[in-house]
Amino acid sequence: MPRKNLAWVIVCIAVTVFVWTAARGGLIPPRGPMQFLKEFYSADKDYDNLALMIDVMQYVDMNYVKTLKPEERRKFIEAAIQAGLRSLDPNSSFMNPQEYSLFKKQAEGKFGGVGVQIVVNRETKRVTVISPILGSPAFRAGIKPGDEIETINGEKISELNDDDVVGRIAGAPGTTVTLTIRRRGTGRRMELTLTREEIHTEAILGDVRDTQQKWDFLADKENRLGYVRITSFGNNALDELTQAFKTLENEKVQGLVVDLRNNPGGSLDVSVKMADMLLNEGEIVRVEGRTHDTRIHVAQQEGTFFAGERKIPIVVLINENSASASEILASALQDHKRATIIGERSFGKGSVQRLYPIESGASRLRLTTSTYIRPSGKNIHKFPDSKENDDWGVIPDIEAKLSPAEELDWLLARRDRDILRDEEINRLEMAEKTAVLMGPMSIYPGISGTMHLFTGLAELNLTLPNLIRTSKPYQDKILDKAFEYLRNQIKKGKTT
């Protein structure tokens, strides 16, 4: 071989060995091309951490007791990403393609599932129901706010992350899922097998329906008092609320109740536009973040309802499950003295999550980037170290709270008004009322076994049949307080 060619061969071998060694990061452990990240901008501060993740993954890949399948490798990486994001705050997360697809369907107002909104309880770390979606399989089965989901198809919740929980409950319409539910207040467990449906969510509801099964938003005909329930802040909510307000203006409404109880929130843009519908000027909310300028959303005069000569008193109802977008709307109306807030202190979720496309847009990174600030300058978010006397959430102008038994009655009565109920659901409700009434007796020796027997009999419709078949008219005392407040305000206005 000519010396020239031999020299080229030696050079090529030397270069190959050098590149291979550099790319491997030395002989222990293998890091592949990670070494070259050091040359990129700001990568030096992240290289060691990223290399650590690669080291762990490659050791698992080479030495774990069994060979990981591709889907198991993917799950390993997703779990690591999810855990890292959740260490930042409870609201940052990663959505894989399947989860992002479900998220989009929920935002559009329709998706396949059982229709239940869930959250991880701050104190217990358990998966807790915020609210079943009205008319959904979960709603018809009697699942209630505050119920805890313990297993999904026999798999313990404690072994799943939040997104796994959502992914396992959702699914194609017509398929089934079995949930073990622990009843709030009584501790009673129920195993429910639900058939998934395409969930169409109504965002704006009234108190009762008319003869055409449409919502009648004029709740008090004599005093011309309107009532709207905002159950979500999705894409369809704004159009529905606009139509409801137009109907009430045509009915010459004299006062309005906006009910945000058990509303977990939704789109920032939708909540801002809803506040703009009731405010003709002034700041609605301020969004402050680290990487962008402060954004201030301001109300416009155009498109304002119940203003000028048509101005009417407004009451907003909130409770401890009113969160996020609900708190933006309530606080804006409160700070501008456009509405009186009645109820109990809200949840305190004042952080903004932005979606970043990754994996060519198939997945999304949901990252907390900003916080909400009220028009008054007060904070909304309840931080882990926040105290009761700190500024967070929305504190009502008039406090009104239901006891656990009253809350149960309210939820049952509310569901009665929302759908036509069958005998099976009535029997389950009777069992719950029995459990609530007799639950405290379980603290006495010898009573617990009797209580469970009695509850079981109630579920079988073998006791108190008359009570099962007849339901007492229920008055929502929080709503009654709101209506009474509006009547007094109307009388004062007429006197003036």
Side-chain angles (χ1 to χ4, degrees):
M1 178 183 296
R3 288 188 175 184
K4 186 177 181 180
N5 291 349
L6 179 61
W8 274 111
V9 171
I10 294 172
V11 169
C12 289
I13 293 174
V15 169
T16 301
V17 171
F18 172 79
V19 171
W20 179 83
T21 304
R24 303 267 303 176
L27 297 179
I28 55 168
R31 293 181 181 178
M34 289 295 297
Q35 289 280 353
F36 296 110
L37 287 177
K38 289 183 176 180
E39 302 302 320
F40 289 93
Y41 171 73
S42 77
D44 57 325
K45 63 182 179 181
D46 295 324
Y47 168 75
D48 288 337
N49 294 328
L50 293 173
L52 173 62
M53 183 65 212
I54 296 295
D55 290 347
V56 171
M57 183 67 234
Q58 293 192 358
Y59 273 128
V60 169
D61 194 38
M62 292 186 301
N63 301 297
Y64 187 58
V65 66
K66 67 173 186 176
T67 302
L68 295 184
K69 299 176 182 177
E71 60 269 21
E72 291 174 327
R73 290 173 59 87
R74 171 75 186 200
K75 184 177 180 181
F76 180 92
I77 295 297
E78 287 187 7
I81 295 172
Q82 203 70 267
L85 291 169
R86 289 299 165 84
S87 71
L88 301 177
D89 68 85
N91 300 302
S92 294
S93 63
F94 168 74
M95 289 187 282
N96 63 31
Q98 295 77 25
E99 293 158 349
Y100 178 55
S101 175
L102 174 61
F103 174 84
K104 289 192 295 183
K105 290 178 182 178
Q106 290 174 326
E108 292 166 359
K110 60 180 181 179
F111 56 94
V114 301
V116 64
Q117 298 167 326
I118 58 175
V119 69
V120 178
N121 186 284
R122 280 192 181 119
E123 284 75 28
T124 65
K125 306 299 181 184
R126 295 172 178 168
V127 175
T128 304
V129 174
I130 296 177
S131 175
I133 294 173
L134 299 174
S136 67
F139 187 84
R140 295 195 301 269
I143 294 177
K144 297 179 175 59
D147 285 351
E148 294 175 353
I149 302 176
E150 294 190 332
T151 69
I152 303 172
N153 292 330
E155 192 172 5
K156 292 182 179 179
I157 290 290
S158 58
E159 299 172 356
L160 305 173
N161 60 40
D162 298 354
D163 296 315
D164 284 338
V165 171
V166 173
R168 281 164 170 73
I169 293 176
T175 60
T176 61
V177 60
T178 300
L179 306 178
T180 300
I181 302 295
R182 184 176 183 272
R183 176 64 11 109
R184 175 185 181 183
T186 67
R188 187 167 63 91
R189 287 177 172 80
M190 302 174 293
E191 188 171 281
L192 303 174
T193 298
L194 308 177
T195 301
R196 299 182 180 98
E197 299 175 359
E198 184 170 89
I199 307 298
H200 296 267
T201 58
E202 272 185 311
I204 309 301
L205 301 87
D207 185 40
V208 295
R209 298 182 184 270
D210 59 21
T211 56
Q212 303 300 315
Q213 295 300 309
K214 295 182 179 180
W215 289 112
D216 185 355
F217 295 108
L218 192 64
D220 182 340
K221 302 284 191 297
E222 181 180 351
N223 296 283
R224 316 304 294 173
L225 301 181
Y227 171 83
V228 294
R229 272 186 294 157
I230 303 176
T231 63
S232 68
F233 290 85
N235 295 341
N236 57 330
L238 202 60
D239 290 340
E240 291 181 25
L241 186 62
T242 299
Q243 187 57 50
F245 282 173
K246 286 181 178 179
T247 300
L248 288 172
E249 281 197 332
N250 292 336
E251 296 273 5
K252 309 226 182 302
V253 66
Q254 298 297 306
L256 174 66
V257 175
V258 177
D259 195 343
L260 296 174
R261 290 176 292 179
N262 289 340
N263 185 326
S267 167
L268 166 65
D269 291 338
V270 172
S271 66
V272 167
K273 290 176 181 178
M274 285 186 179
D276 194 10
M277 292 167 68
L278 296 173
L279 295 171
N280 55 16
E281 62 179 359
E283 182 178 318
I284 295 173
V285 68
R286 184 179 309 167
V287 183
E288 297 182 349
R290 179 173 66 90
T291 60
H292 57 73
D293 295 334
T294 297
R295 299 196 307 273
I296 301 176
H297 298 269
V298 179
Q300 307 296 323
Q301 186 170 2
E302 183 180 357
T304 305
F305 289 90
F306 316 119
E309 295 180 355
R310 300 170 299 170
K311 189 172 183 178
I312 60 174
I314 298 174
V315 167
V316 175
L317 302 182
I318 61 173
N319 65 5
E320 63 181 354
N321 292 321
S322 304
S324 188
S326 294
E327 294 171 295
I328 291 176
L329 176 56
S331 64
L333 298 178
Q334 184 183 49
D335 287 352
H336 288 289
K337 302 188 184 304
R338 184 62 189 94
T340 299
I341 311 298
I342 296 179
E344 54 187 313
R345 193 176 199 173
S346 62
F347 185 83
K349 195 267 183 186
S351 60
V352 185
Q353 285 70 48
R354 182 176 177 182
L355 297 181
Y356 293 92
I358 52 180
E359 295 189 297
S360 301
S363 302
R364 286 296 187 275
L365 171 64
R366 186 171 184 260
L367 188 66
T368 298
T369 58
S370 313
T371 57
Y372 302 135
I373 303 297
R374 299 172 55 150
S376 62
K378 293 181 178 180
N379 168 64
I380 291 178
H381 195 68
K382 182 182 180 183
F383 295 96
D385 58 348
S386 295
K387 298 179 175 57
E388 286 301 311
N389 57 355
D390 290 340
D391 283 332
W392 57 266
V394 179
I395 299 175
D397 301 303
I398 301 174
E399 188 173 10
K401 188 174 182 178
L402 299 175
S403 68
E406 288 173 330
E407 184 178 11
L408 174 63
D409 285 340
W410 167 56
L411 292 169
L412 296 179
R414 180 68 272 159
R415 195 167 67 242
D416 273 333
R417 295 189 184 202
D418 289 333
I419 62 172
L420 296 174
R421 307 190 52 71
D422 59 28
E423 198 64 23
E424 179 183 358
I425 299 299
N426 286 331
R427 286 197 294 272
L428 288 174
E429 288 180 1
M430 178 58 220
E432 289 178 36
K433 290 191 176 185
T434 305
V436 168
L437 290 172
M438 299 198 67
M441 297 178 65
S442 63
I443 64 174
Y444 298 104
I447 295 295
S448 178
T450 304
M451 181 199 70
H452 291 300
L453 174 61
F454 189 84
T455 304
L457 291 174
E459 289 177 343
L460 293 173
N461 199 15
L462 297 177
T463 61
L464 304 180
N466 293 330
L467 186 57
I468 293 173
R469 293 190 177 91
T470 61
S471 59
K472 297 183 296 182
Y474 176 78
Q475 292 299 120
D476 182 347
K477 76 175 189 179
I478 308 297
L479 181 57
D480 288 345
K481 184 184 284 286
F483 283 150
E484 186 60 31
Y485 176 86
L486 289 175
R487 294 185 192 106
N488 290 335
Q489 293 299 305
I490 293 170
K491 288 180 182 177
K492 288 180 182 178
K494 289 180 179 179
T495 303
T496 302

